[in-house]
Amino acid sequence: MKRIVAALALVGLLVVAAPASAAQKTLYYDGETVDGNSLSFAMKGNRIFDIEGYVTTSCVPTHGTPRVSPGEFNPPGSFLLGRTRKVSHTEFIAYKGDVTKNYTISVKKGKGRVWTAELHVNYSYEEVIPVGEGELDKSFYVCQGDDAFRFIV
């Protein structure tokens, strides 16, 4: 009788300990986007988060020459695999002030274990530049960037 109770207690401990040992690990990815910009993120379970990197962004001013350059891509929150999510975030950018960036991230399954994340960002800002004595040049910019990255789960 004592052996049966001891055996059941041992099995009970193993069953309780199993979920703790099967806890999901956080995986960290570091690489490049399709356009060649650096990008990193973390993944736990079926969510990606802590996305940090750059997306090639085109900014068109009200007057002057358009600019194309890598723009920071740091959306807040986490993003579910197989879903599309939109999120907005206001951040301070030097010489531009508070800028609200609108992010869209769509994570789609490809062949096998390959996933593709499509990245989109858009925002606008006002830039004021001193041109001469007491003169200021004011331009409004509308910016948009699109890129993608692939990863294997």
Side-chain angles (χ1 to χ4, degrees), residues 86-142:
K86 295 180 179 184
V87 64
S88 295
H89 178 63
T90 301
E91 59 187 69
F92 179 80
I93 300 177
Y95 302 107
K96 296 169 179 65
D98 287 336
V99 175
T100 300
K101 290 188 174 184
N102 304 301
Y103 299 97
T104 304
I105 292 141
S106 180
V107 186
K108 298 177 183 175
K109 184 156 177 46
K111 292 183 178 182
R113 297 176 22 209
V114 177
W115 289 81
T116 301
E118 295 173 353
L119 313 173
H120 172 80
V121 63
N122 65 51
Y123 57 95
S124 60
Y125 64 90
E126 176 184 31
E127 187 173 73
V128 179
I129 301 171
V131 212
E133 288 190 38
E135 290 185 39
L136 298 174
D137 184 28
K138 184 188 285 190
S139 293
F140 292 95
Y141 287 83
V142 177

Side-chain angles (χ1 to χ4, degrees), residues 41-54:
F41 67 94
M43 181 175 164
K44 187 171 186 176
N46 61 349
R47 292 187 174 275
I48 61 174
F49 56 96
D50 289 343
I51 300 172
E52 293 183 4
Y54 295 90

Side-chain angles (χ1 to χ4, degrees), residues 31-96:
E32 289 185 348
T33 64
V34 173
D35 285 348
N37 297 308
S38 65
L39 189 103
S40 65
F41 67 94
M43 181 175 164
K44 187 171 186 176
N46 61 349
R47 292 187 174 275
I48 61 174
F49 56 96
D50 289 343
I51 300 172
E52 293 183 4
Y54 295 90
V55 168
T56 303
T57 307
S58 302
C59 293
V60 180
T62 51
H63 64 278
T65 307
R67 302 175 183 176
V68 177
S69 63
E72 286 187 18
F73 192 86
N74 305 319
S78 64
F79 304 88
L80 194 60
L81 297 179
R83 297 286 173 97
T84 298
R85 180 171 175 231
K86 295 180 179 184
V87 64
S88 295
H89 178 63
T90 301
E91 59 187 69
F92 179 80
I93 300 177
Y95 302 107
K96 296 169 179 65

Side-chain angles (χ1 to χ4, degrees), residues 10-24:
L10 180 61
V11 170
L13 284 174
L14 291 176
V15 170
V16 171
S21 64
Q24 296 173 344

